[in-house]
DNA sequence: TAAATTTGCTTGCGTTTTGCAAGTACAAAT
DNA sequence: ATTTGTACTTGCAAAACGCAAGCAAATTTA
């Protein structure tokens, strides 16, 4: 519920004020790869985020219009998290992070395969993935 | 001097382990816009980074090969910081951050003008800016 | 239908990181 | 010779983090 205070008028700074930490973009990543996730799904990710940190980040990402909550079709106990348009618009940025990391780190096979596809036609990949992610968004 | 511990094999995670905080990319931004900066130049930026945080971030960015120190031509008391190739390679990512911010925040005039140029020819902008930033890099 | 489990969080608490102010060492200018 | 500039370091209080445990509501199992 806390307000995000802008440190300056710079767009880079404004952006970092929202998702400039070690966890927020990992949540976005999970939503981009899995399309939608429950609270428990996020906890299962390799980086092992703490439950309180996850809760605070989900709250802040929702407050900032990057994600939304939806009812889970299977159960009232579950909550589905999805990217909003604003969240999906982070896709080009996420791709560039992947491309940079591809040059300076060792990627797992699986991600490397997706990146090959991206390198062939970046625009096309973004266009199709965006449509896919926005399906059933209210 | 501390080691960066990787939380997982994910490239997004690996990248965030290096520059996933509120300050590192602002240092990179300053170096991209000004080409090279002294310690004092970074302190002058609008966000008002604390001196100890700046020192620790410069150290960590250098350790991770994103920036390098160089002698200042004018004075032995000054230190010039510059982006390495690895640092310059963050340019596409920085551009995408700007483009995202352009959609969801209000940009200052000056940055808006640069972005118009970027929108016209992203590839060209990156190519030329990269050459400019790498000039006189040892 | 009662008990156990799942799910999405919240709470406590010790550790780490941050932010602010002040201090220091060396170079350069006065 | 003294003051100023530059690049940091240090101390300390406040905030954020990370781990474990707890909790309420929904769901499954016995």
């Amino acid at each position: 519920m806390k307000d995000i205070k802008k440190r300056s008028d710079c767009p880079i700074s404004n952006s970092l004020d929202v998702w400039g930490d070690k966890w927020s973009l990992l949540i976005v990543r999970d939503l981009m790869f899995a399309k939608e996730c429950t609270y428990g799904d996020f906890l299962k990710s390799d980086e092992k985020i703490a439950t309180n940190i996850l809760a605070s980040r989900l709250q802040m990402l929702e407050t900032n219009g990057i994600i939304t909550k939806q009812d889970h079709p299977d159960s009232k106990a579950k909550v589905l998290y999805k990217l909003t348009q604003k969240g999906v618009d982070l896709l080009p940025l996420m791709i560039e992070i992947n491309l940079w990391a591809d040059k300076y780190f060792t990627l797992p096979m699986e991600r490397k395969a997706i990146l090959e596809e991206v390198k062939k036609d970046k625009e096309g990949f973004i266009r199709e993935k965006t449509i896919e992610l926005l399906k059933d968004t209210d």
Side-chain angles (χ1 to χ4, degrees), chain A:
Chain A
M1 212 63 72
K2 73 182 69 171
D3 242 27
I4 311 95
K5 61 170 168 236
K6 289 187 178 183
R7 290 171 295 170
S8 76
D9 288 332
C10 168
I12 303 283
S13 171
N14 293 166
S15 301
L16 293 174
D17 286 340
V18 176
W19 46 256
D21 64 82
K22 299 244 178 283
W23 294 109
S24 295
L25 289 187
L26 295 184
I27 292 173
V28 171
R29 171 204 63 186
D30 285 349
L31 289 169
M32 281 182 176
F33 276 80
K35 194 177 170 193
E36 46 193 30
C37 300
T38 63
Y39 193 89
D41 290 335
F42 293 119
L43 291 177
K44 279 176 212 144
S45 293
D46 287 344
E47 294 85 9
K48 300 294 162 218
I49 189 170
T51 60
N52 54 342
I53 306 293
L54 176 57
S56 72
R57 287 306 182 285
L58 289 172
Q59 170 66 51
M60 114 90 93
L61 288 173
E62 196 189 0
T63 300
N64 282 281
I66 311 266
I67 64 175
T68 35
K69 287 182 177 190
Q70 264 180 229
D71 292 342
H72 196 289
D74 296 353
S75 156
K76 270 187 229 168
K78 294 184 183 178
V79 178
L80 264 190
Y81 288 94
K82 292 196 67 179
L83 290 171
T84 60
Q85 174 74 52
K86 188 173 178 181
V88 172
D89 283 336
L90 289 169
L91 184 55
L93 162 49
M94 296 292 279
I95 286 175
E96 294 304 333
I97 297 177
N98 269 293
L99 290 171
W100 185 77
D102 180 41
K103 193 163 174 185
Y104 295 104
F105 298 111
T106 311
L107 300 218
M109 290 293 197
E110 166 235 344
R111 197 67 64 88
K112 200 114 187 166
I114 298 177
L115 265 213
E116 287 311 313
E117 198 186 332
V118 170
K119 281 177 192 167
K120 271 178 209 149
D121 178 17
K122 200 193 281 186
E123 299 299 319
F125 181 89
I126 291 174
R127 203 180 315 116
E128 285 173 36
K129 191 77 180 171
T130 297
I131 291 168
E132 182 195 326
L133 289 170
L134 287 177
K135 274 221 178 90
D136 311 317
T137 297
D138 320 304

